[in-house]
């Protein structure tokens, strides 16, 4: 009862400070060593016991987990939103961790000995902006239509201000930061859920069924290319999950293709009160189990969180290097993801024997279970805090 009351009190205190000052302050139960500034997302710290996020994006969990690791080490934690352009640091922060965009502005107000950390969750904006523009030009050549750019990020010099760069992605993603000449400490993307290996899956049937699973930015993330590839492959099935295929301008352009009998759409997955994840009333794992592979040919990504989630169910990844999937994952990597190359890749997969697809599925599942769990995320952050950043002990 006392713990529940404390949870209510803390949640409402945080709701108030977040609403009026854009700040949530967390107190360590250990002997206080200092204060950490976390420029990430405040929402998870304002939830009353009965409240929960319906979006299964792992950022809601990772924000709480990073804060927890510092609280356990004897540090108070102040949390602001990553896009807060008004907050001015007033405390002698020992560490400032910023999710991508705010570090340069904050650094002018931080103590000289504050350790500044940039948490990479995407490619560098220079790369992403150029990649989306190129994809948009290619789309215009194919379809004769100009769509507004939807995923342009503000340019930043944040890596120059950082003492440490840590984050998601593979060598391709990390390479977009190469000009800054700083080592990147890799952090694995944690999957939102884990599953048992689907032993009873019909691998003969699923070898002809593919999944595209992603967030916003259809052109940047290659949904247009995938749809055009499957439009001429009536013997292969494509399930599309996420908001991109429901954007009106995109939907209007692909009205014919989206109505084809081999293409099915699902809305963005949502977490239910019982903790299950569903899309249009169907359990996410049931959608995964209909498919043999996930195809995701993004031109710019962080760590490919949706693809990693699907890998937990054993879906074989057919991806671009810029999707950010680890190079060690059993996968088909399309360095030039044209419509023709996508078509060839999915046809090649569909011709594999069911036994081979099950073997690949198990290898993918084992890699995901070993490298992309909440525990692997926590282990990597603990190693960074304790052995690389080496927080002061006083």
């Amino acid at each position: 009862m006392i713990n529940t009351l404390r949870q209510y009190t803390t949640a409402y205190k945080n709701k108030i400070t977040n609403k009026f000052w854009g700040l949530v302050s967390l107190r360590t139960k250990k002997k206080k060593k200092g204060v950490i500034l976390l420029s990430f997302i405040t929402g998870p710290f304002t939830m009353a016991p009965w409240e929960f996020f319906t979006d299964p994006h792992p950022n809601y969990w990772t924000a709480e987990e990073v804060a927890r690791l510092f609280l356990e080490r004897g540090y108070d934690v102040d949390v602001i939103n990553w896009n807060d352009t008004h907050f001015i640091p007033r405390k002698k922060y020992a560490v400032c961790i910023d999710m991508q965009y705010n570090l340069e502005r904050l650094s002018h107000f931080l103590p000289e000995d504050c350790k500044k950390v940039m948490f990479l969750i995407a490619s560098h904006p220079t790369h992403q902006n150029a990649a989306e523009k190129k994809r948009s030009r290619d789309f215009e050549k194919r379809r004769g239509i100009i769509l507004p750019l939807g995923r342009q990020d503000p340019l930043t010099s944040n890596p120059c201000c950082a003492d440490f760069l840590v984050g998601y992605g593979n060598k391709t993603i990390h390479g977009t930061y190469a000009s800054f000449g700083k080592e990147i400490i890799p952090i694995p993307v944690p999957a939102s859920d884990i599953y048992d290996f689907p032993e009873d899956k019909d691998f003969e049937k699923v070898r002809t069924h593919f999944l595209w699973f992603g967030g916003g930015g259809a052109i940047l993330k290659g949904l247009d290319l995938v749809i055009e590839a499957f439009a001429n492959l009536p013997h292969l099935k494509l399930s599309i999950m996420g908001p991109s295929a429901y954007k009106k301008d995109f939907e209007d352009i692909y009205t014919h293709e989206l109505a084809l009998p081999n293409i099915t759409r699902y809305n963005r997955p949502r977490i239910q009160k019982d903790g299950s994840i569903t899309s249009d009333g169907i359990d996410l794992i049931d959608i995964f189990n209909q498919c043999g592979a996930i195809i995701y040919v993004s031109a710019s990504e962080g760590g490919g969180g949706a693809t990693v989630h699907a890998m937990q169910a054993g879906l074989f990844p057919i991806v671009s290097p810029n999707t950010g999937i680890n190079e060690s994952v059993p996968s088909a990597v399309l360095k030039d993801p044209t419509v023709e190359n996508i078509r060839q890749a999915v046809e090649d997969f569909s011709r594999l024997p069911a036994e081979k697809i099950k073997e690949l599925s198990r290898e993918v599942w084992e890699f995901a279970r070993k490298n992309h769990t909440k525990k692997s995320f926590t282990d990597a952050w603990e190693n960074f805090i304790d052995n690389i950043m080496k927080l002061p002990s006083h």
Side-chain angles (χ1 to χ4, degrees):
M1 178 67 177
I2 294 176
N3 283 339
T4 303
L5 212 59
R6 186 179 293 116
Q7 286 178 317
Y8 276 94
T9 303
T10 301
Y12 279 98
K13 175 182 73 71
N14 290 345
K15 284 179 187 289
I16 292 169
T17 61
N18 186 42
K19 181 175 178 60
F20 288 101
W21 298 286
L23 175 71
V24 170
S25 293
L26 311 172
R27 299 289 175 257
T28 181
K29 295 178 181 178
K30 306 287 182 69
K31 182 179 179 182
K32 181 179 172 182
K33 297 178 182 177
V35 190
I36 307 297
L37 177 60
L38 182 59
S39 171
F40 203 24
I41 48 175
T42 57
F45 306 97
T46 66
M47 307 297 277
W50 71 86
E51 295 178 312
F52 63 95
F53 284 103
T54 59
D55 186 347
H57 197 291
N59 274 353
Y60 301 110
W61 176 82
T62 59
E64 288 188 287
E65 182 65 1
V66 171
R68 184 188 69 81
L69 293 175
F70 284 102
L71 291 169
E72 284 196 347
R73 284 159 174 76
Y75 289 84
D76 288 349
V77 180
D78 285 350
V79 188
I80 62 172
N81 281 310
W82 62 272
N83 57 354
D84 186 332
T85 58
H86 301 291
F87 176 80
I88 303 296
R90 307 287 186 189
K91 299 178 183 178
K92 187 175 172 55
Y93 291 108
V95 179
C96 174
I97 301 171
D98 172 55
M99 187 177 72
Q100 201 81 7
Y101 300 110
N102 214 6
L103 191 60
E104 183 178 13
R105 185 187 72 81
L106 294 172
S107 64
H108 297 294
F109 307 99
L110 296 170
E112 189 173 332
D113 60 350
C114 176
K115 296 178 184 291
K116 296 181 284 295
V117 181
M118 183 175 175
F119 184 14
L120 311 180
I121 59 165
S123 301
H124 189 269
T126 301
H127 166 83
Q128 176 156 311
N129 294 347
E132 187 183 28
K133 288 176 181 176
K134 182 181 185 306
R135 284 278 178 96
S136 184
R137 289 193 300 269
D138 292 344
F139 173 81
E140 183 184 353
K141 289 177 184 176
R142 294 194 322 275
R143 308 292 295 200
I145 300 170
I146 299 175
L147 278 177
L149 299 172
R151 296 300 297 263
Q152 295 288 286
D153 280 347
L155 298 182
T156 173
S157 297
N158 285 341
C160 296
C161 306
D163 298 307
F164 302 95
L165 302 180
V166 303
Y168 301 150
N170 56 11
K171 292 177 182 177
T172 298
I173 302 304
H174 294 173
T176 66
Y177 294 87
S179 63
F180 297 97
K182 295 185 178 182
E183 179 187 2
I184 297 176
I185 295 95
I187 301 289
V189 176
S192 299
D193 207 348
I194 58 174
Y195 309 101
D196 293 333
F197 182 73
E199 290 285 358
D200 298 329
K201 191 170 182 175
D202 187 342
F203 288 95
E204 176 64 33
K205 184 177 180 179
V206 303
R207 63 192 178 87
T208 60
H209 200 149
F210 300 79
L211 175 69
W212 186 96
F213 180 20
I219 304 301
L220 177 70
K221 302 194 174 185
L223 179 56
D224 56 322
L225 300 169
V226 174
I227 288 174
E228 289 177 31
F230 277 84
N232 292 308
L233 297 171
H235 56 293
L236 301 182
K237 295 181 180 180
L238 172 67
S239 291
I240 301 168
M241 187 157 46
S244 288
Y246 290 91
K247 295 285 286 185
K248 185 170 179 3
D249 53 0
F250 187 84
E251 190 177 34
D252 288 346
I253 292 166
Y254 287 101
T255 299
H256 169 72
E257 289 87 349
L258 292 171
L260 291 171
N262 67 321
I263 296 179
T264 304
R265 286 185 293 172
Y266 297 94
N267 278 296
R268 184 194 296 272
R270 295 293 182 189
I271 300 174
Q272 306 304 314
K273 285 184 178 180
D274 63 1
S276 64
I277 304 176
T278 66
S279 179
D280 294 335
I282 304 173
D283 279 351
L284 187 57
I285 187 60
D286 291 336
I287 297 174
F288 286 158
N289 284 338
Q290 295 172 8
C291 305
I294 179 166
I295 178 160
Y296 200 68
V297 289
S298 180
S300 179
E301 202 72 22
T307 301
V308 164
H309 192 161
M311 286 165 52
Q312 289 287 355
L315 270 66
F316 181 80
I318 301 173
V319 293
S320 60
N322 294 65
T323 296
I325 301 302
N326 190 293
E327 291 84 359
S328 300
V329 176
S331 59
V333 179
L334 303 184
K335 294 183 179 180
D336 182 20
T338 62
V339 172
E340 293 74 20
N341 288 344
I342 292 169
R343 189 180 296 133
Q344 185 64 57
V346 295
E347 289 211 273
D348 288 346
F349 181 84
S350 72
R351 295 189 188 106
L352 293 174
E355 297 78 14
K356 180 62 176 177
I357 291 178
K358 184 174 184 179
E359 178 187 329
L360 291 170
S361 176
R362 185 178 292 279
E363 290 176 5
V364 168
W365 175 81
E366 288 176 348
F367 186 95
R369 285 296 291 261
K370 181 179 179 181
N371 297 282
H372 288 291
T373 62
K374 291 178 177 179
K375 182 181 185 303
S376 60
F377 176 92
T378 298
D379 289 347
W381 263 100
E382 286 190 317
N383 179 63
F384 169 67
I385 294 170
D386 297 335
N387 301 320
I388 298 175
M389 186 166 59
K390 297 180 180 178
L391 279 180
S393 57
H394 58 275

